[in-house]
């Protein structure tokens, strides 16, 4: 079997998992958008997924992402930045991405807003929430989320779309459901207009995330295979 066949069959399998999860949840087919997380994989892998119809790609490491963007000239790719953000590296993110899922402080949002090029539409933003309460994890706490969301929703060059989370890894289905449900509840509690996005679910827990209302799932390993570098 060639690499191409492997990527093709893996992508098809992920699409089927999403469709099955939508059906089980009583949600319309196509209500969950798939982001292919291509971090650590080469531009050729992105081009191959593109030929198979994939358009949304997620990247974690800024320089690696910029290198791959420069190597690709496929039209219509939607780029999602999903990794930790250093506040002195916001300009290339504002210039070269369509979505940022990992905003967790106002300073970063204000810089992205100021640096978003005037000829581009507002940058789509998800606030990363620390649902598991781990001290070491990035993401805003539930207690601080409403004030942060309120401030960011007023920034003219950003469009606050919703919330993102990476729960603490667990194989306990009840804990997986609880984490995703908490994110959905937090978004409902914000009661801001125009929030339409719950970015949650990865290779191992996408079914649970879709059951709890995910609108974007971020899938790496199940599409591109194992990464040589650890998750960052
Ligand atoms: C790496 C990564 C993913 C994809 O994880 P997989 O388990 O490989 O599907 C999703 N979201 C974020 C934020 C990531 O860093």
């Amino acid at each position: 079997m060639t690499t191409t066949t492997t990527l093709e069959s893996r992508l098809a399998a992920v699409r089927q998992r999403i469709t099955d999860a939508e059906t089980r949840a009583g949600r319309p087919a196509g209500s969950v958008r798939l982001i292919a997380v291509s971090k650590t994989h080469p531009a050729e892998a992105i081009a191959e997924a593109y030929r198979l119809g994939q358009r949304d790609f997620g990247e974690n490491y800024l320089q690696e992402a910029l290198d791959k963007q420069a190597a690709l000239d496929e039209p219509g790719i939607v780029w999602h930045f999903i990794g930790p953000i250093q506040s002195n590296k916001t300009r290339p993110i504002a210039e070269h991405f369509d979505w940022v899922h990992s905003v967790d402080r106002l300073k970063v949002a204000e810089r992205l807003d100021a640096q978003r090029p005037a000829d581009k539409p507002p940058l789509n933003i998800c606030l990363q929430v620390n649902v598991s309460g781990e001290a070491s994890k990035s993401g805003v706490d539930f207690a601080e989320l409403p004030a942060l969301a309120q401030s960011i929703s007023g920034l003219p060059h950003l469009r606050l779309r919703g919330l993102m989370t990476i729960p603490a890894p667990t194989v306990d289905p009840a804990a997986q459901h609880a984490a995703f449900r908490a994110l959905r509840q937090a978004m409902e509690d914000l009661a801001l207009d125009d929030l339409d996005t719950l970015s949650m679910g990865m290779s191992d827990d996408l079914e649970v995330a879709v059951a709890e209302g995910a609108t974007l799932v971020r899938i790496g390993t199940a599409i591109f295979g194992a990464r040589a570098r650890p998750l960052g």
Side-chain angles (χ1 to χ4, degrees):
M1 209 204 284
T2 66
T3 308
T4 301
T5 314
T6 303
L7 180 58
E8 183 168 8
S9 58
R10 282 181 170 146
L11 184 57
V14 167
R15 287 171 172 158
Q16 190 61 51
R17 284 175 63 188
I18 293 171
T19 304
D20 291 347
E22 286 169 337
T23 303
R24 276 196 304 275
R27 300 179 55 189
S31 51
V32 178
R33 183 165 163 183
L34 171 61
I35 301 178
V37 176
S38 41
K39 65 180 175 208
T40 79
H41 295 284
E44 297 78 63
I46 295 176
E48 182 57 34
Y50 181 95
R51 283 193 285 280
L52 298 164
Q54 181 64 28
R55 290 295 177 270
D56 287 274
F57 291 92
E59 289 281 343
N60 291 59
Y61 309 106
L62 180 57
Q63 191 54 53
E64 178 194 322
L66 296 174
D67 291 346
K68 285 188 247 179
Q69 289 177 349
L72 292 162
D73 53 14
E74 281 75 0
I77 292 183
V78 179
W79 291 103
H80 300 255
F81 192 81
I82 63 173
I85 304 171
Q86 292 171 253
S87 60
N88 63 343
K89 299 268 180 65
T90 49
R91 183 176 296 280
I93 297 176
E95 291 176 348
H96 295 282
F97 286 82
D98 304 290
W99 286 73
V100 182
H101 294 238
S102 41
V103 172
D104 62 1
R105 54 200 197 279
L106 185 58
K107 181 183 177 189
V108 162
E110 286 174 338
R111 291 178 64 93
L112 292 170
D113 177 63
Q115 293 164 343
R116 180 67 170 169
D119 61 341
K120 296 205 170 188
L123 185 59
N124 295 294
I125 299 290
C126 291
L127 302 183
Q128 183 173 349
V129 180
N130 181 357
V131 292
S132 309
E134 296 159 283
S136 61
K137 280 266 175 163
S138 39
V140 62
D141 293 337
F142 284 118
E144 290 151 25
L145 175 62
L148 182 65
Q150 195 66 46
S151 301
I152 290 178
S153 67
L155 297 175
H157 306 110
L158 304 184
R159 182 172 169 206
L160 183 59
R161 298 293 296 266
L163 304 181
M164 178 274 234
T165 197
I166 312 169
T170 171
V171 292
D172 173 12
Q176 291 178 340
H177 277 277
F180 293 136
R181 197 175 305 144
L183 194 73
R184 186 184 62 192
Q185 187 63 50
M187 189 157 93
E188 285 172 16
D189 291 347
L190 286 178
L192 288 169
D193 290 340
D194 303 330
L195 298 188
D196 60 5
T197 301
L198 282 170
S199 170
M200 57 189 199
M202 313 201 320
S203 291
D204 290 336
D205 56 14
L206 83 84
E207 284 82 2
V208 181
V210 170
E212 295 296 345
T215 65
L216 294 180
V217 292
R218 310 178 310 270
I219 310 298
T221 309
I223 295 173
F224 294 109
R227 288 180 290 273
R229 271 192 274 154
L231 182 132

